[in-house]
Amino acid sequence: MWNYGKRERKHNRVPHMDPFAPQFKDAIMGVPLGGIGCGTIGRGWRGDFLRWTLLPAAIPSINVVEVDQFSVFSRNSGDHSNANASVLYTPAKKSVHAPKTSPVRSAWDFGLKGDKSTYHALFPQAWTIYDGETDADLKITCHQVSPVIPHDYENSSFPASVFEFTIENRSTVHDKDVSLMFSFQNGMGAASDSKGGHSNHFFQEKSDNFTTTGIKLTHAYEQMVFEDWDKNNRKYFSDPLSFAIATNADPSKVSYTTQFASDDVSVLKSVWNKFKTDGKLDNSTTETKSVEGKTIAGAISVSERVGKGQSVKITFTLTWDTPIARFSSGKAYYRRYTKFYGTSGDAVQKIASDALKNYPNWIKAINQWQDTILSNEKLSKEYKMALFNELYYLVDGGTIWTHGRPDQSAQELKELESADNFGNFFYLEGHEYLMCNTYDVHFYASFALISLWPELQLALQREIARATVRQMDVDWFILHDGSTVKRLVRWAVPHDVGNPGEDPWVRPNSYNIQQIQRWKDLNCKFVLQVYRDYVATNNKEFLESLWPIVKKAVEYSFQFDKDGDGMIENEGFPDQTYDTWSATGVSAYCGGLWVATLKVARSIAHELLDVDAFEDYDKKYQIARDVYIKKLWNGTYFNYDTSKNVHRDSIQADMMAGNWYAVSCGVGGIVPIGHAKSSLETVYRYNVAKFVNGTRGAVNGMRPNGAVDEMCMQSKEVWTGTTYAVAAAMLQVGLEDEAFKTMKGVIDTTYTTHGYMFQTPEAWLANGSFRSCSYMRPLSVWAVQWAYDNAQKQLATDEFDQELEAKMKANIQAVKK
């Protein structure tokens, strides 16, 4: 792994996985800014702008840019002796992400203590309340919102966030003069900020009695790639990148400083001294390009008089325009939002104006969506909070959503304008595992997409299907066993669609730890998701187009039935999503997925009236189901596998994955409900309740004696996303109390005891130490809502299963006649 990382960096590629350079976790993150696939800017709960994922070929970086701030000025009206000003940010006392000293810290007043401030998050909104923090008479509330709106494929793509400040004057004696300043550096807190060539420009746009005033920050960024991975053949690209800070306030109340040196203490003091004198800036319009070695920023201020007992609102927006997503191969794509704003890179002012006009509609749509769940008193507050906040990863997961490519012809791009074209979509497995649409993990996380943006899920599925039919005869070195295999084998569903350090969609299967073409779960997970997605969308064209590939995927997997009994067997190496945890023979996890796959394939054949396929899959399903139960059921739960290993009877938290997904697909369970319920009760008693007193979630493996299974690293971990999936399976069999208690351990660890919020890890151990922060799988909390919304307790019963089977067979017989 060390040599692999060294080789990738040598060729200017980002290793898809590098355990020797982990992302450091600190309890600093808040709700990120921006829509889906447009790049994002992370904002901390303290008020800082600190995580930058604007460039797809780079690892998401955490850099606190201390001039990127909101600041407040206040005084009693008419009284110039009691003015005070402060940055609305409390620097962390200890953090590896924020500088201990900085020019801004030396020049501006960071007087906020934070003891009277609170932060509230419900993605994609957040509220920071400063209650008498800078002025005892003032209560200031910052309402942050981004246009992430379910089933809205236009607004949800926009690179914009809005900050609406409500300033309440609680004094019964004095009116107040109050100003808010928004300052922002031209850049991303990276080395390019001081490369020179950047410029800021004041703008004011008027239309329909609406005025937008702000500063455009044009950033000169150069990206180097190696042509065909040859370090001697370098190419440079200067793709557009710009930011805007703006307000919709009455222009007479707006002042600004278009450009100032953000690394020069004397200049910073000059800006601050002007602001803290009267809350205004000098209206300077310097627009010269920055010089190398120096950074520049801009600022706007809005001044209001707030009567005693009254309140006012001041609104700002932050937008950006980076129309081209370019990967390390040099391949470039236009981002989705360019469908609405063009590809030239000069739309940031228009985006800002539209954001300020339309954000009330965003808030209304978001509230209408969320209120249906928030008003359900049967759901716990903790669960509702996690349900929405885990969606942060669809924005902050290195996500790319495309709309064509620069190398396409005008006619090809014109054809993309049809309403039903949703482009390509990917998100990373994690901020430390840089693989796109990692499919074994997306299997869990996909409930968020299919529930809220189903067209993105269908687009993702079509890309997986396209990769599945390909053969890629490129030698691929496998780290686990040192073998060399073909990178992509036809009819073996890929692990991922690539790595942004290479060429996503063009070069799938960047994963190289195990032999993917021998994994037992991926083909099953494709079949199961295809039908689940059809059930959700009723899109028959989608189902019909993928049916030939589904059949080939099932056929491919039969090679793993080594003894001809109708059940696939694991091969003694980690050949599934638990890629350090080996299984041999029939296993509860992969065996269950296989039985579910055959049952779902039967349902697809029924839906499409493919009589021969229905009868074939019906026979194979019945045989596999009987083998699964006979070989693994021990009277209480399903054994881990059929090996001779001492761990063969371990209790795997995820043992009912196949049953869970089959019920989620609406086809009923794969085992009698009594078996499923007993298995999940066992998981609750052992993997949940006996592990740190039920306060961490479901540990992956437990021994029947109540000890953690220490067979490998992953057997003794809690996987956050798996725990949510287990809770969904519990709901399906009527274990509602156990389901919410199981989730509570994960939610408390994430948001309370360890501060993992908005960077939820893949896994942690008993002591809470984590692996792989900011990860895809926790989105599976939406599988719980799927189970809840679809009343799946009824769908898991034996009676439902029997009635459905009888109905399907009767329909098939009618077709045959």
Side-chain angles (χ1 to χ4, degrees):
M1 183 64 81
W2 172 266
N3 289 332
Y4 160 75
K6 183 178 179 180
R7 182 179 69 249
E8 292 299 289
R9 284 187 290 269
K10 181 180 179 181
H11 289 280
N12 200 39
R13 298 193 296 263
V14 179
H16 68 72
M17 189 180 297
D18 187 357
F20 302 101
Q23 289 265 311
F24 184 84
K25 191 281 308 178
D26 201 356
I28 56 176
M29 300 308 303
V31 173
L33 309 177
I36 297 173
C38 57
T40 189
I41 299 172
R43 192 160 187 249
W45 56 266
R46 294 178 180 274
D48 40 5
F49 297 80
L50 76 171
R51 184 153 69 192
W52 309 82
T53 53
L54 298 177
L55 306 175
I59 296 174
S61 58
I62 298 179
N63 302 296
V64 175
V65 182
E66 291 213 320
V67 78
D68 295 354
Q69 301 290 355
F70 292 104
S71 303
V72 61
F73 162 90
S74 66
R75 68 185 178 195
N76 295 337
S77 297
D79 183 355
H80 296 269
S81 65
N82 70 337
N84 64 78
S86 176
V87 176
L88 291 176
Y89 169 60
T90 305
K93 293 181 180 179
K94 293 182 178 180
S95 174
V96 300
H97 303 303
K100 294 180 179 179
T101 60
S102 69
V104 180
R105 197 89 62 88
S106 300
W108 292 7
D109 294 322
F110 287 74
L112 200 74
K113 294 181 179 179
D115 58 334
K116 298 178 182 178
S117 301
T118 55
Y119 180 81
H120 308 265
L122 199 66
F123 181 88
Q125 301 183 89
W127 298 261
T128 308
I129 301 172
Y130 308 95
D131 195 349
E133 185 78 73
T134 61
D135 184 321
D137 291 332
L138 297 182
K139 180 180 180 181
I140 302 173
T141 301
C142 173
H143 180 187
Q144 169 191 314
V145 61
S146 297
V148 184
I149 304 167
H151 307 285
D152 184 334
Y153 298 93
E154 181 174 343
N155 285 287
S156 293
S157 72
F158 292 170
S161 278
V162 169
F163 308 88
E164 182 187 72
F165 286 84
T166 301
I167 304 167
E168 301 176 52
N169 179 10
R170 296 177 296 193
S171 173
T172 59
V173 179
H174 301 289
D175 293 344
K176 291 282 184 176
D177 293 332
V178 181
S179 298
L180 286 176
M181 178 175 71
F182 187 13
S183 52
F184 201 81
Q185 183 163 295
N186 190 324
M188 302 166 284
S192 66
D193 290 16
S194 58
K195 287 291 186 181
H198 315 312
S199 58
N200 297 350
H201 309 274
F202 173 78
F203 70 89
Q204 192 169 85
E205 295 190 350
K206 299 181 180 180
S207 64
D208 301 326
N209 298 316
F210 189 94
T211 303
T212 303
T213 305
I215 298 170
K216 176 183 178 181
L217 304 93
T218 302
H219 192 76
Y221 176 76
E222 188 174 66
Q223 180 179 352
M224 180 188 73
V225 302
F226 293 135
E227 187 79 2
D228 297 323
W229 321 121
D230 180 359
K231 66 179 181 180
N232 296 315
N233 188 6
R234 302 182 181 186
K235 295 186 73 173
Y236 295 87
F237 297 92
S238 298
D239 297 323
L241 173 59
S242 58
F243 305 87
I245 55 174
T247 181
N248 59 356
D250 182 334
S252 66
K253 300 178 180 180
V254 179
S255 58
Y256 53 89
T257 295
T258 304
Q259 183 171 310
F260 59 90
S262 55
D263 54 1
D264 186 313
V265 173
S266 62
V267 172
L268 288 163
K269 283 184 176 179
S270 176
V271 173
W272 188 255
N273 287 338
K274 179 70 176 77
F275 177 70
K276 77 175 185 179
T277 299
D278 59 6
K280 297 179 181 178
L281 300 172
D282 60 7
N283 292 343
S284 62
T285 56
T286 302
E287 297 184 352
T288 57
K289 290 185 177 181
S290 64
V291 299
E292 187 171 0
K294 298 294 182 180
T295 59
I296 59 172
I300 53 176
S301 177
V302 177
S303 301
E304 290 279 3
R305 175 157 294 183
V306 189
K308 50 184 176 291
Q310 302 296 309
S311 65
V312 300
K313 292 184 183 297
I314 295 175
T315 304
F316 297 101
T317 187
L318 169 63
T319 61
W320 53 97
D321 187 10
T322 170
I324 295 175
R326 188 178 302 277
F327 303 113
S328 292
S329 64
K331 179 68 73 65
Y333 295 81
Y334 292 126
R335 296 184 189 265
R336 166 72 175 183
Y337 75 87
T338 63
K339 175 181 173 70
F340 313 103
Y341 285 104
T343 60
S344 61
D346 61 358
V348 71
Q349 297 167 215
K350 173 64 172 162
I351 298 171
S353 181
D354 287 350
L356 290 167
K357 288 178 184 177
N358 297 326
Y359 83 91
N361 295 328
W362 302 349
I363 295 172
K364 181 179 179 180
I366 291 166
N367 289 344
Q368 286 177 343
W369 155 50
Q370 294 185 337
D371 283 349
T372 58
I373 294 173
L374 296 176
S375 61
N376 189 337
E377 296 181 357
K378 294 181 180 179
L379 301 175
S380 71
K381 292 181 180 179
E382 297 94 341
Y383 164 74
K384 289 183 278 193
M385 178 268 296
L387 184 71
F388 292 113
N389 283 338
E390 289 300 340
L391 289 172
Y392 87 95
Y393 196 74
L394 290 178
V395 165
D396 199 20
T399 312
I400 299 294
W401 185 5
T402 74
H403 184 68
R405 303 189 310 271
D407 61 357
Q408 289 181 299
S409 68
Q411 180 59 35
E412 287 174 317
L413 291 173
K414 184 178 180 180
E415 291 172 357
L416 296 177
E417 297 306 313
S418 63
D420 60 351
N421 185 292
F422 296 95
N424 291 350
F425 171 86
F426 78 63
Y427 60 149
L428 299 176
E429 179 179 338
H431 283 191
E432 297 179 16
Y433 297 171
L434 306 179
M435 292 160 283
C436 309
N437 294 344
T438 298
Y439 201 64
D440 58 304
V441 183
H442 177 71
F443 174 73
Y444 297 83
S446 63
F447 283 91
L449 273 189
I450 195 59
S451 298
L452 304 174
W453 292 274
E455 294 296 345
L456 292 184
Q457 170 65 9
L458 298 190
L460 185 156
Q461 288 282 73
R462 291 184 179 106
E463 285 298 331
I464 290 293
R466 279 190 275 270
T468 300
V469 304
R470 290 176 56 194
Q471 177 82 20
M472 194 171 176
D473 290 327
V474 173
D475 288 339
W476 203 235
F477 180 75
I478 302 302
L479 298 176
H480 173 71
D481 58 13
S483 63
T484 299
V485 300
K486 299 305 178 187
R487 177 162 175 165
L488 187 64
V489 176
R490 184 174 289 114
W491 309 126
V493 171
H495 173 275
D496 55 79
V497 297
N499 166 15
E502 287 190 310
D503 204 344
W505 300 300
V506 177
R507 296 171 64 88
N509 269 350
S510 64
Y511 178 90
N512 62 348
I513 296 177
Q514 307 287 357
Q515 294 187 36
I516 284 301
Q517 71 274 19
R518 290 170 59 194
W519 272 28
K520 309 306 180 292
D521 61 339
L522 286 167
N523 282 36
C524 295
K525 289 174 174 178
F526 174 69
V527 177
L528 292 168
Q529 285 187 72
V530 166
Y531 190 63
R532 190 273 318 272
D533 297 345
Y534 167 70
V535 169
T537 63
N538 200 33
N539 187 331
K540 204 156 192 175
E541 179 277 328
F542 168 78
L543 189 66
E544 289 173 337
S545 66
L546 268 57
W547 178 226
I549 304 171
V550 164
K551 290 191 284 188
K552 285 291 188 179
V554 175
E555 179 184 328
Y556 181 91
S557 294
F558 265 104
Q559 67 179 289
F560 304 124
D561 175 13
K562 301 297 185 182
D563 56 9
D565 65 353
M567 170 57 68
I568 63 172
E569 287 88 30
N570 294 88
E571 298 184 71
F573 76 98
D575 51 0
Q576 27 70 39
T577 194
Y578 297 91
D579 60 353
T580 69
W581 195 3
S582 300
T584 301
V586 181
S587 69
Y589 184 72
C590 290
L593 291 174
W594 176 242
V595 177
T597 295
L598 294 173
K599 189 170 191 179
V600 159
R602 181 184 70 171
S603 292
I604 300 175
H606 170 263
E607 194 68 30
L608 300 180
L609 301 179
D610 188 334
V611 174
D612 292 340
F614 177 87
E615 292 180 338
D616 183 43
Y617 288 134
D618 178 58
K619 180 180 177 180
K620 289 173 177 175
Y621 160 65
Q622 303 292 353
I623 292 171
R625 180 179 185 269
D626 290 346
V627 172
Y628 182 71
I629 295 172
K630 180 180 179 180
K631 290 193 173 183
L632 293 173
W633 177 247
N634 64 19
T636 305
Y637 62 92
F638 289 86
N639 287 334
Y640 178 70
D641 65 12
T642 58
S643 70
K644 297 180 180 180
N645 192 296
V646 68
H647 298 273
R648 64 184 179 277
D649 59 350
S650 285
I651 305 163
Q652 184 179 12
D654 213 3
M655 71 172 82
M656 285 287 97
N659 196 79
W660 159 56
Y661 235 86
V663 176
S664 297
C665 290
V667 303
I670 63 168
V671 298
I673 190 170
H675 288 33
K677 188 172 184 178
S678 176
S679 296
L680 290 163
E681 286 173 335
T682 303
V683 168
Y684 179 75
R685 289 197 309 272
Y686 283 79
N687 302 61
V688 178
K690 290 183 182 293
F691 186 73
V692 199
N693 297 316
T695 61
R696 287 284 185 271
V699 68
N700 283 335
M702 286 287 280
R703 300 292 299 135
N705 64 2
V708 173
D709 186 335
E710 298 191 349
M711 181 179 181
C712 66
M713 173 186 72
Q714 292 177 348
S715 64
K716 58 187 178 182
E717 290 179 328
V718 170
W719 283 11
T720 52
T722 294
T723 296
Y724 287 128
V726 169
M730 289 175 173
L731 279 181
Q732 291 173 343
V733 298
L735 299 176
E736 188 165 331
D737 186 55
E738 290 86 347
F740 282 94
K741 287 180 178 177
T742 296
M743 287 189 289
K744 190 176 188 306
V746 165
I747 295 169
D748 287 350
T749 301
T750 301
Y751 292 94
T752 304
T753 61
H754 285 73
Y756 293 140
M757 58 277 188
F758 303 106
Q759 49 192 340
T760 310
E762 155 75 321
W764 53 62
L765 298 172
N767 64 4
S769 60
F770 75 97
R771 176 173 62 83
S772 186
C773 69
S774 299
Y775 198 76
M776 177 194 291
R777 203 180 324 244
L779 283 164
S780 62
V781 66
W782 280 88
V784 178
Q785 195 62 29
W786 180 273
Y788 194 90
D789 286 344
N790 291 286
Q792 291 186 325
K793 284 189 288 186
Q794 285 75 38
L795 304 184
T797 64
D798 298 340
E799 292 78 13
F800 172 84
D801 188 49
Q802 293 160 6
E803 291 173 7
L804 179 64
E805 185 167 312
K807 181 179 178 181
M808 288 195 299
K809 289 184 176 179
N811 290 342
I812 290 296
Q813 287 302 315
V815 172
K816 291 176 70 174
K817 291 179 181 179

